[in-house]
Amino acid sequence: MKEFDDLYNNLKKYLEELEKKFIIPFIDKNKSEFSYEFDVRAFCVLSHAALENYFEEIVLMIIDKSIKEWLNDRTINDSLLMLVGHMNERIKIDGNTLQQETNTFEYLRKHLELIKREFSDMVDKNQGISLRHLRKLLSPVAINIKDDADLKNSLNNFSETRGSYSHKKIRIIKSPEDMRNYKDDYIKFCEDIKNQAIQKFKSEIQEKVS
């Protein structure tokens, strides 16, 4: 779907531009870490911000589209079910018989608006892209993180490196090659998330509710 493809393609293009500017000039050049330290730091901080924005944007897009599809034609997918199950909210039924009856569609519509707003607030407060942060973002919208040891290692190492750079507690200066490998892993990971998102709105598993 175009909106998910556009989000991913814009991220990939931006990361490749950062790589070209800050990383490629130092690949296989046998230069000292002092010559590339600030370039690696700049790449890490800027790409981390772009990746964080991508993860936050795509989960909000998934929920927005899932809710709209239910409101428009009663199509349910696992993202909607997961979010409703994740958020600790219950529908409050009005027991006052003197009031006009509220139909179930209105109950559900208002409930979905509430949990969407609360989840959006949670996403807005996100401050990282480590595995721990990503689970809190992705699992509530039924996006799976591959059980891949190398990927998970890259996710945590890159996030820890960015944290040390941002807070000026540098212990080890990562090499340009390390940063390029992290970038490649993240691009593959982001593509997988994009593909999972698209399938949620194409899958034959979706059920029409009359």
Side-chain angles (χ1 to χ4, degrees), residues 11 14-15 17-19 21-22 38-53 129 158 162 165-166 179:
L11 171 72
Y14 179 67
L15 293 182
E17 289 172 350
L18 291 179
E19 180 186 25
K21 180 173 179 61
F22 294 112
F38 290 103
D39 290 85
V40 167
R41 289 176 65 180
F43 175 83
C44 183
V45 172
L46 291 172
S47 58
H48 185 282
L51 287 161
E52 186 172 310
N53 182 71
I129 58 172
F158 181 77
R162 181 267 184 185
Y165 288 162
S166 297
M179 284 297 161

Side-chain angles (χ1 to χ4, degrees), residues 27-147:
I27 295 293
D28 299 326
K29 300 296 183 182
N30 293 321
K31 293 186 177 182
S32 69
E33 64 184 27
F34 299 105
S35 66
Y36 57 68
E37 174 185 351
F38 290 103
D39 290 85
V40 167
R41 289 176 65 180
F43 175 83
C44 183
V45 172
L46 291 172
S47 58
H48 185 282
L51 287 161
E52 186 172 310
N53 182 71
Y54 173 84
F55 295 125
E56 293 169 358
E57 283 289 318
I58 200 165
V59 297
L60 293 177
M61 288 168 62
I62 290 169
I63 288 307
D64 184 63
K65 191 170 181 63
S66 296
I67 291 176
K68 284 180 178 177
E69 290 208 346
W70 185 83
L71 292 174
N72 292 334
D73 59 19
R74 307 299 193 275
T75 300
I76 297 174
N77 63 24
D78 58 351
S79 294
L80 189 59
L81 291 173
M82 190 72 181
L83 185 68
V84 170
H86 173 70
M87 303 303 288
N88 188 27
E89 295 290 345
R90 291 181 178 272
I91 296 176
K92 296 177 177 62
I93 305 300
D94 185 4
N96 186 352
T97 57
L98 299 178
Q99 297 292 330
Q100 183 176 355
E101 189 72 23
T102 301
N103 64 46
T104 54
F105 176 84
E106 279 303 303
Y107 277 125
L108 289 167
R109 181 185 64 79
K110 291 177 181 179
H111 187 67
L112 292 174
E113 286 179 354
L114 173 63
I115 62 176
K116 176 185 174 182
R117 185 165 59 250
E118 292 186 348
F119 182 68
S120 296
D121 289 342
M122 290 172 55
V123 171
D124 189 56
K125 294 174 183 176
N126 176 62
Q127 294 185 335
I129 58 172
S130 68
L131 184 58
R132 176 173 59 88
H133 289 96
L134 290 175
R135 282 181 176 175
K136 291 181 179 180
L137 284 175
L138 300 175
S139 294
V141 298
I143 293 290
N144 296 308
I145 299 173
K146 284 185 176 181
D147 190 17

Side-chain angles (χ1 to χ4, degrees), residues 172-188:
I172 298 174
I173 300 172
K174 294 292 184 178
S175 71
E177 288 80 8
D178 286 334
M179 284 297 161
R180 182 172 63 177
N181 290 336
Y182 293 154
K183 185 266 307 179
D184 290 343
D185 285 343
Y186 265 103
I187 284 180
K188 292 176 184 176

